Amino acid sequence: MLTIFLKSARLIGEAIGYCEQDIGDSFFEYRLRELIYEGVLEIKGVPAGIKTDTTLKK
């Protein structure tokens, strides 16, 4: 099985682009971090640097 990782900043940017409401990137960053802690998303990197260098498993 092929594992694909996405840059978290790109994922947050896409989510903001699709969102019709005015929601800041800090909310999306919070939600990503919570999904990582709950085990829904897999991470390669450190959750503290989620906007800069973290990659998430697709």
Side-chain angles (χ1 to χ4, degrees):
M1 185 163 107
L2 180 64
T3 302
I4 299 173
F5 282 87
L6 300 171
K7 291 285 188 183
S8 58
R10 179 167 175 91
L11 181 64
I12 290 171
E14 279 193 42
I16 290 172
Y18 282 110
C19 188
E20 294 180 6
Q21 298 176 346
D22 188 22
I23 299 174
D25 60 338
S26 58
F27 173 76
F28 289 106
E29 180 183 353
Y30 159 77
R31 284 303 299 148
L32 280 178
R33 190 172 285 121
E34 289 299 312
L35 291 171
I36 290 166
Y37 292 151
E38 291 174 9
V40 176
L41 294 175
E42 203 173 308
I43 187 174
K44 187 170 31 170
V46 181
I50 199 163
K51 279 191 195 172
T52 55
D53 59 356
T54 303
T55 53
L56 303 168
K57 183 177 177 181
K58 183 176 180 182

